[in-house]
Amino acid sequence: MSFTVFATAIVSAMLINNVILMQFLGVCPFLGVSKRTSSAIGMSAAVLFVMVVASAVTYTIYDLILFPYDIPYISTIAFILVIASLVQLVEMVIKKYSAPLYKALGIYLPLITTNCAILGVSEGNIASIWTETMPYGEGLFLAVSTAIGTGLGFGLVIFAFSSIRERLDAANVPKSWQGVPISLLVAGIMSLAFLGLQGVI
Amino acid sequence: MSTKDNFLKGFVKENPIFVFLLGMCPALAVTATVETALGMGILVVFVLTSSNIVVSLVRKFIPNDVRTPSYIVIIATFVTIVRMMTERYAPDLYIALGVFIPLIVVNCLILGRAEAFASKNTVFDSMIDGLGMSLGFTMALVIIGVFRELLATGEILYGVYLPFFVESEIAIFDLDWLIPLSGASVNDYMLPMFSLAPGAFIALGIILAVIQRRKVVGDEKKEAARQAMIEEKKRLALERKKAAAKKKAGEAA
């Protein structure tokens, strides 16, 4: 559990295997809530928060319940249910204890259940980190680090993209490219830039 | 709505990817080759049709408040089934699709059809709706796949991931016949970027722009026709006025 492991996991998940531009997870909110910078920030904060909690919980469930009792094939059903109820729980807790945070994140939380980035990271953690011999603590640490990196990468890209889109509103785009097509083209060019980071680590 | 319309609406008029932009994650992620796109499409056809049938069967027993979680469990069950089947019968496809097989659970198309159609209609109608919508989805995936694979490699392979009907991989379409004509290798002119992540965004962007272009041209034509009609009406009104004035002048004389 050293700082190097943590930093490597963060950089790798945030920049090199960026969740939106390289893995294509969470494209719906990427196109949906990136019209204004403020909503992009709110959404990415909510995603980061839920992603870290969901990764920790799903990794724990897989390692301590599903695998020992020999039912790992049920992981998809278990994970989606856990994530759905977790989002509800987080919403209730935030509502009760922190009104400003609820005001900032509230409307984005229900959308997160169907955000494929959350389930994708949970499943990806099991596929890439989890092994039979990995000690529970170390695996959990890696899973949470990856989740933090992925959430930060999601926030970085969606924030940059929303800034570009605010400029695009004022630009004179041909009629047939207006809306989603030009957004996808912008995303493609951003993705090209991120492709240059491949192989840094 | 007739059964035929119900089946056909998913292909063009209400195409999930090209019109409603549902299920964008698989549309970008698994379309690097036609075969992975087709494989994903087959899985979605199975999951959507079966989940629509089951949701429609139990629609009268599920209380309204726990509707969505129940649908998600039904969908996740079928996804688990196809996951195991793929692992057993098409292991290469299972590896190529990777995390996107479990992610069929959160594909907005499937939950969307359960909510919007299967929870309100009979079993047979829901089955037809599921089949049509998922085949429309498959068609869109394959179109993107053809576009990307052709631009990236210049040929379309079959048999790498799907081990059905063929012994070893075969090229359904290739550009090798161009070699004697041009004297250069086809590979010199290909754009490998289209098989990577940026190519996915750009290819889908181009396809959506072409579709939007058709709509824009159609709208312009309609607008032009409307303008012509207004002009015609104005002209007729003017003529009538003139005729009336002439008549008046004649009467006065």
Side-chain angles (χ1 to χ4, degrees):
Chain A
M1 288 194 206
S2 62
F3 180 72
T4 328
V5 176
F6 180 69
T8 314
I10 294 255
V11 171
S12 154
M14 182 175 169
L15 297 174
I16 297 164
N17 287 316
N18 187 279
V19 60
I20 297 173
L21 296 177
M22 287 293 143
Q23 299 180 43
F24 308 111
L25 299 173
V27 175
C28 298
F30 176 62
L31 294 172
V33 279
S34 60
K35 287 208 180 86
R36 286 203 337 270
T37 316
S38 56
S39 56
I41 294 175
M43 183 68 181
S44 40
V47 165
L48 176 64
F49 189 65
V50 173
M51 197 178 268
V52 172
V53 181
S55 292
V57 173
T58 49
Y59 188 88
T60 309
I61 286 179
Y62 193 86
D63 197 52
L64 299 184
I65 300 173
L66 296 185
F67 186 72
Y69 290 96
D70 213 17
I71 43 170
Y73 55 84
I74 212 169
S75 62
T76 310
I77 304 176
F79 286 4
I80 189 70
L81 279 179
V82 166
I83 290 168
S85 33
L86 200 69
V87 170
Q88 291 264 310
L89 195 72
V90 166
E91 197 182 349
M92 284 193 282
V93 169
I94 292 183
K95 200 175 183 179
K96 179 95 175 31
Y97 290 106
S98 168
L101 196 62
Y102 182 75
K103 221 173 167 187
L105 305 184
I107 51 167
Y108 303 107
L109 281 171
L111 296 173
I112 286 181
T113 314
T114 50
N115 182 339
C116 50
I118 310 281
L119 186 63
V121 169
S122 303
E123 292 272 356
N125 280 339
I126 302 303
S128 62
I129 297 172
W130 186 86
T131 54
E132 247 176 89
T133 50
M134 171 83 84
Y136 169 65
E138 206 174 304
L140 185 69
F141 180 71
L142 258 180
V144 169
S145 318
T146 309
I148 295 173
T150 310
L152 289 177
F154 183 88
L156 173 77
V157 168
I158 205 169
F159 177 70
F161 188 64
S162 65
S163 314
I164 297 175
R165 261 183 112 168
E166 281 188 354
R167 287 288 298 273
L168 266 183
D169 280 347
N172 187 12
V173 180
K175 252 188 194 163
S176 25
W177 284 90
Q178 270 166 15
V180 180
I182 192 76
S183 310
L184 282 170
L185 209 63
V186 169
I189 295 168
M190 282 172 78
S191 176
L192 265 179
F194 272 77
L195 201 63
L197 293 167
Q198 216 84 43
V200 169
I201 290 184
Chain B
M1 196 188 291
S2 74
T3 305
K4 195 179 146 207
D5 288 344
N6 190 12
F7 180 71
L8 287 178
K9 69 177 187 292
F11 287 89
V12 178
K13 213 173 82 203
E14 296 181 15
N15 190 288
I17 293 181
F18 293 151
V19 179
F20 288 130
L21 304 172
L22 292 173
M24 293 290 271
C25 299
L28 293 165
V30 303
T31 50
T33 66
V34 175
E35 245 194 309
T36 44
L38 188 64
M40 185 61 162
I42 295 169
L43 302 188
V44 171
V45 169
F46 178 78
V47 173
L48 182 54
T49 312
S50 343
S51 73
N52 257 12
I53 291 173
V54 173
V55 166
S56 173
L57 275 174
V58 298
R59 69 183 190 278
K60 283 179 187 145
F61 308 115
I62 293 182
N64 210 27
D65 299 329
V66 293
R67 205 170 69 238
T68 312
S70 325
Y71 297 163
I72 289 181
V73 173
I74 292 169
I75 296 165
T77 310
F78 284 111
V79 170
T80 307
I81 293 172
V82 294
R83 192 181 181 179
M84 288 161 152
M85 298 281 272
T86 320
E87 196 174 6
R88 169 70 180 81
Y89 291 106
D92 292 326
L93 184 71
Y94 181 77
I95 293 165
L97 293 181
V99 75
F100 284 93
I101 298 181
L103 283 183
I104 298 175
V105 177
V106 282
N107 189 331
C108 337
L109 167 65
I110 296 173
L111 190 63
R113 288 332 283 176
E115 284 270 358
F117 199 93
S119 60
K120 297 186 192 102
N121 288 284
T122 60
V123 177
F124 180 73
D125 281 347
S126 304
M127 186 185 80
I128 297 295
D129 173 78
L131 261 181
M133 276 289 172
S134 51
L135 286 174
F137 183 77
T138 311
M139 184 191 77
L141 285 186
V142 170
I143 288 174
I144 305 170
V146 168
F147 189 81
R148 284 181 65 189
E149 194 174 356
L150 264 188
L151 283 177
T153 63
E155 54 188 9
I156 290 171
L157 291 176
Y158 181 81
V160 188
Y161 303 109
L162 291 171
F164 306 115
F165 309 120
V166 288
E167 291 293 311
S168 61
E169 57 181 77
I170 48 163
I172 294 179
F173 176 85
D174 61 29
L175 294 172
D176 287 346
W177 47 274
L178 274 176
I179 296 174
L181 295 180
S182 64
S185 167
V186 175
N187 289 337
D188 297 347
Y189 298 97
M190 289 305 140
L191 305 163
M193 183 195 80
F194 276 96
S195 65
L196 300 172
F201 287 107
I202 294 173
L204 189 55
I206 293 172
I207 294 175
L208 287 180
V210 169
I211 292 168
Q212 199 159 318
R213 170 81 199 156
R214 283 191 52 209
K215 214 163 77 195
V216 168
V217 169
D219 283 353
E220 268 168 11
K221 256 188 200 151
K222 236 183 253 166
E223 182 59 29
R226 207 174 64 89
Q227 285 295 341
M229 218 174 72
I230 291 173
E231 288 292 315
E232 181 70 18
K233 261 188 191 156
K234 265 187 195 159
R235 201 178 56 80
L236 281 177
L238 206 69
E239 254 171 30
R240 227 178 287 134
K241 221 185 222 170
K242 264 184 193 163
K246 217 182 236 170
K247 209 174 169 192
K248 224 176 197 178
E251 270 170 17

